[in-house]
Amino acid sequence: METTQPQHGQTILERASRARALSRLHHAWMLTGTNLDDLNGVGRALGRQLLCLHHDQNSLDGCHQCQACRQYDNEAHPDVFELEPDEAGAIKVDSVRTLIGAIGLRPALSQRKVVKIHRIDAMNPAAQNALLK
């Protein structure tokens, strides 16, 4: 699992791009921090980079032109899943089970899927256990 802590002056996007080029991409990346705007920006760019059909080493956030990038920018990419707290501020086990069912299928457009879990600390214990299993 990767975190946003850069090593040797590299940003998370540079590390992801290099890992993707070397076919050594981690299965999970955890972005943490206090500035939600920065986290959301990095998360969006990383998601686009991972789903881009024409990944270019010089672009750290996708080509912005392929079908996958366009759908991602329009929040209509079929391989992106988001899990957010409900109205009560909690992420419950039913939501996690629905997510697990959806990500168990083949990607529809890209080679991989992107799952964004907003406020993972909002998961109740049953949801945490379901995600781990």
Side-chain angles (χ1 to χ4, degrees), residues 81-95:
F81 303 89
E82 295 196 45
L83 195 56
E84 297 181 289
D86 61 13
E87 301 81 33
I91 297 175
K92 297 181 180 159
V93 68
D94 291 336
S95 298

Side-chain angles (χ1 to χ4, degrees), residues 6 15 19 41 53 94 98 111 123:
R15 291 181 70 193
L53 299 174
D94 291 336
T98 301
Q111 294 179 352
M123 282 187 173

